[in-house]
């Protein structure tokens, strides 16, 4: 009996277990079906979204060109890219103010130019800007914006409002528009402002001299010089030297020297281009620069001359270099005789700077080209110091690095400072300072001392040992 009860219980339990198993299987089947349905719905959603995204991409697609146009329209609202324009001419991208990086032309004739300044900003830094220049007969600066900078700590002072009013409407013929030699525009970031002015001028210079948006007497004269040289001009950079006294000094009869250009090229002889007259009456003589007086008088010194030129102009151009002219302003009897051998043992002095070259004169004078350190922004000034009979006869500035206000030092300063002083003792700065150029004057003083130091240790009575 007991066994029968137990068997019945087991059978009942088996039925329960079978029912539970069936229920579990049914639940699993239901879960799988639901998962499949969910996946199917998700796949359908993905397919629909994919189709919608594809449609939206086609409808809303913005090309790189359009994006670039929109960015440039913030500077020049009417900008629409002229696809036929070739872009920047990299061989002519370098200017006296900086470098042009890219050029875009708008279909209405305007240009948007990306330019980086020379290292004229704070801490020798640079500023890169976009400059919009209108087309037409009188191109003007239509807009500009800062792209990036190097080392300009206070560039944040130059706000969007400044960029909407500074320089706007200025003719591209203006050098350093509203910002001559770092005078500042009022943001508290003077050196950065100067760098911006240089970048804008790089763009303007490119528009005048490469894009030929306008013609100036200087650009026309420069074009005439390069046309005369032909293929020889390739790679040369010609910069006008606007020294009115030298132009007058090179006058022949009633014919004035209208432009004097210094031409430089890497690993090539420098050239000096003398342009007399204008337009149809223009006459040009191009001679090798950096030659001795005797070499310049030889016929081989002439590189090129325009047709029908007056031979008197050739003789005048060959008779005296600009270098000699600068020297003769302080020492009238100087006549270039050659180069003295540089004594490297005394060519450097830790307090003053370096001696770079030594020139000899037929009358026994010497000229030491010396670079003085200690200028503004740790820059330098290079000068020629004329020495004869152990006395300073005169000096002139050759070049400088980062001396923004050195233009305040004029000819009258160069013909009075240091003149007549002995080279036997260190020269003190004294009153030889122009307001606003204290550090540039310090560098000049160091250069004078460097020249005297070199002369004391390597030369006697103004002649080579």
């Amino acid at each position: 009996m007991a066994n029968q009860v137990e068997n019945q219980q087991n059978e009942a339990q088996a039925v329960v277990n079978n029912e539970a198993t069936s229920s579990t299987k049914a639940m699993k089947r239901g879960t799988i079906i639901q998962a499949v349905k969910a996946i199917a719905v998700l796949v359908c959603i993905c397919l629909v979204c994919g189709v919608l995204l594809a449609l939206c991409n086609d409808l809303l697609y913005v090309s790189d060109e359009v994006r670039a146009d929109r960015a440039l329209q913030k500077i020049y609202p009417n900008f629409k890219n002229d696809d036929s324009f070739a872009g920047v001419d990299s061989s002519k991208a370098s200017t006296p103010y900086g470098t042009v990086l890219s050029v875009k032309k708008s279909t209405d004739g305007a240009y948007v130019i990306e330019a980086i300044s020379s290292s004229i900003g704070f801490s020798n830094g640079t500023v890169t800007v976009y400059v919009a220049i209108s087309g037409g007969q009188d191109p003007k600066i239509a807009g500009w914006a800062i792209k990036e900078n190097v080392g300009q700590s206070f560039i944040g002072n130059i706000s969007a409002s400044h960029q909407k009013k500074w320089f706007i409407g200025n003719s591209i013929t203006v050098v350093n528009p509203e910002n001559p030699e770092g005078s500042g525009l009022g943001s508290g970031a003077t050196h950065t402002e100067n760098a911006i002015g240089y970048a804008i001028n790089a763009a303007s210079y490119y528009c005048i001299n490469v894009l030929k948006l306008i013609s100036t007497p200087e650009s026309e004269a420069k074009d005439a010089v390069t046309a005369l040289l032909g293929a020889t001009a390739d790679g040369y950079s010609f910069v006008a030297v606007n020294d009115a006294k030298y132009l007058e000094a090179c006058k022949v009869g009633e014919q004035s020297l209208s432009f004097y250009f210094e031409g430089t090229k890497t690993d090539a002889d420098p050239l000096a281009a003398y342009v007399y007259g204008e337009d149809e009456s223009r006459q040009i003589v191009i001679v090798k620069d950096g030659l001795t007086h005797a070499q310049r008088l030889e016929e081989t010194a002439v590189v090129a001359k325009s047709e029908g030129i007056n031979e008197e102009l050739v003789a005048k151009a060959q008779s005296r270099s600009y270098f000699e002219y600068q020297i003769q302003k302080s020492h009238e009897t100087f006549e270039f005789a050659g180069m003295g051998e540089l004594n490297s043992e005394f060519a450097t002095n830790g307090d003053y700077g370096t001696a770079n070259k030594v020139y000899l004169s037929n009358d026994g004078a010497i000229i030491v080209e010396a670079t003085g350190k200690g200028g503004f922004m740790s820059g330098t000034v290079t000068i020629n110091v004329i020495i004869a009979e152990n006395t300073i006869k005169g000096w002139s500035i050759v070049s400088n690095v980062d001396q923004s206000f050195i233009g305040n030092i004029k000819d009258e300063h160069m013909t009075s400072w240091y003149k007549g002083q002995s080279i036997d003792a260190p020269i003190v700065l004294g009153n030889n300072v122009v307001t606003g150029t204290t550090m540039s004057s310090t560098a000049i003083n160091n250069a004078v001392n460097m020249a005297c130091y070199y002369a004391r240790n390597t030369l006697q009575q103004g002649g080579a040992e």
Side-chain angles (χ1 to χ4, degrees):
M1 188 67 177
N3 290 336
Q4 186 177 1
V5 171
E6 184 177 352
N7 288 337
Q8 288 176 347
Q9 290 176 342
N10 289 338
E11 288 176 359
Q13 185 63 46
V15 171
V16 171
N17 289 340
N18 286 338
E19 289 178 350
T21 299
S22 298
S23 176
T24 300
K25 288 180 178 180
M27 289 176 64
K28 286 182 178 180
R29 282 196 298 272
T31 301
I32 291 172
I33 291 170
Q34 289 177 355
V36 170
K37 288 180 178 179
I39 291 171
V41 170
L42 290 173
V43 169
C44 289
I45 291 172
C46 288
L47 290 173
V48 171
C49 289
V51 171
L52 291 174
L53 286 173
L55 291 172
C56 290
N57 187 58
D58 288 339
L59 293 171
L60 303 177
Y61 172 73
V62 179
S63 66
D64 291 340
E65 292 79 6
V66 172
R67 271 198 284 273
D69 285 0
R70 289 178 179 175
L72 297 181
Q73 283 166 0
K74 294 179 181 178
I75 305 165
Y76 183 70
N78 296 327
F79 185 85
K80 185 176 181 181
N81 191 47
D82 181 351
D83 295 328
S84 65
F85 180 66
V88 67
D89 184 343
S90 58
S91 66
K92 300 177 181 178
S94 180
T95 80
Y97 307 101
T99 303
V100 171
L101 305 177
S102 68
V103 182
K104 295 279 189 179
K105 184 179 181 181
S106 175
T107 53
D108 66 357
Y111 292 85
V112 178
I113 298 174
E114 178 188 0
I116 183 172
S117 71
S118 55
S119 300
I120 197 72
F122 181 70
S123 294
N124 304 327
T126 60
V127 177
T128 302
V129 301
Y130 286 111
V131 186
I133 294 176
S134 64
Q137 297 297 316
D138 185 19
K140 298 182 182 297
I141 298 170
W144 64 278
I146 297 170
K147 179 186 178 184
E148 57 193 14
N149 74 90
V150 175
Q152 305 308 285
S153 305
F154 290 94
I155 199 167
N157 289 3
I158 300 172
S159 66
S161 63
H162 293 131
Q163 296 174 54
K164 290 179 181 178
K165 60 183 181 181
W166 289 354
F167 312 123
I168 304 301
N170 283 15
S171 168
I172 62 173
T173 61
V174 177
V175 176
N176 278 336
E178 297 181 9
N179 191 22
E181 296 301 324
S183 62
L185 293 167
S187 72
T190 302
H191 299 294
T192 300
E193 292 169 7
N194 200 30
I196 291 170
Y198 269 60
I200 289 175
N201 274 293
S204 298
Y205 184 94
Y206 189 89
C207 285
I208 295 171
N209 294 282
V210 181
L211 298 178
K212 308 294 184 183
L213 295 192
I214 61 173
S215 180
T216 65
E218 181 179 323
S219 65
E220 289 176 357
K222 189 181 298 183
D223 288 345
V225 167
T226 55
L228 177 60
L229 283 172
T232 306
D234 293 346
Y236 269 98
S237 175
F238 286 94
V239 177
V241 178
N242 297 313
D243 188 326
K245 293 181 180 179
Y246 184 61
L247 299 182
E248 181 64 24
C250 290
K251 185 175 182 179
V252 176
E254 295 301 317
Q255 190 162 22
S256 298
L257 180 65
S258 53
F259 286 97
Y260 168 71
F261 294 100
E262 290 181 339
T264 56
K265 179 180 179 180
T266 304
D267 299 326
D269 291 331
L271 300 177
Y274 300 79
V275 182
Y276 287 87
E278 299 176 1
D279 304 323
E280 293 80 8
S281 63
R282 183 179 286 128
Q283 297 183 63
I284 305 169
V285 185
I286 305 174
V287 301
K288 289 182 181 179
D289 202 7
L291 303 178
T292 67
H293 181 76
Q295 287 173 325
R296 268 197 313 280
L297 294 179
E298 296 174 0
E299 185 178 354
T300 54
V302 178
V303 177
K305 59 183 180 180
S306 56
E307 293 183 7
I309 194 169
N310 181 343
E311 291 302 324
E312 192 179 355
L313 299 184
V314 177
K316 190 73 173 182
Q318 289 176 290
S319 65
R320 180 169 57 169
S321 69
Y322 184 61
F323 163 76
E324 285 176 300
Y325 163 76
Q326 289 180 303
I327 298 304
Q328 287 171 342
K329 285 193 294 186
S330 299
H331 187 65
E332 293 181 358
T333 60
F334 180 89
E335 184 173 315
F336 189 79
M339 299 288 293
E341 183 176 351
L342 194 71
N343 187 327
S344 59
E345 182 179 355
F346 297 105
T348 301
N349 179 281
D351 293 328
Y352 305 132
T354 60
N356 310 316
K357 298 176 184 177
V358 182
Y359 304 98
L360 307 177
S361 171
N362 286 341
D363 66 358
I366 61 137
I367 297 174
V368 180
E369 180 189 289
T371 298
K373 64 180 188 177
F376 180 67
M377 302 289 292
S378 300
T380 61
V381 179
T382 298
I383 66 175
N384 284 323
V385 182
I386 307 159
I387 297 171
E389 299 177 346
N390 290 329
T391 303
I392 297 172
K393 299 297 183 179
W395 63 280
S396 61
I397 296 173
V398 176
S399 61
N400 73 89
V401 176
D402 298 326
Q403 305 307 288
S404 303
F405 291 93
I406 200 166
N408 292 350
I409 299 174
K410 309 295 184 182
D411 283 350
E412 57 264 28
H413 302 124
M414 289 182 246
T415 55
S416 59
W417 294 359
Y418 309 116
K419 198 168 184 177
Q421 288 190 250
S422 170
I423 67 169
D424 291 333
I427 309 297
V428 297
L429 188 59
N431 295 323
N432 299 332
V433 178
V434 176
T435 301
T437 62
T438 303
M439 299 185 76
S440 294
S441 299
T442 298
I444 289 171
N445 194 73
N446 284 334
V448 170
N449 273 296
M450 184 64 229
C452 293
Y453 171 85
Y454 184 86
R456 285 197 305 271
N457 286 281
T458 63
L459 307 167
Q460 292 180 341
Q461 298 298 313
E465 285 186 338

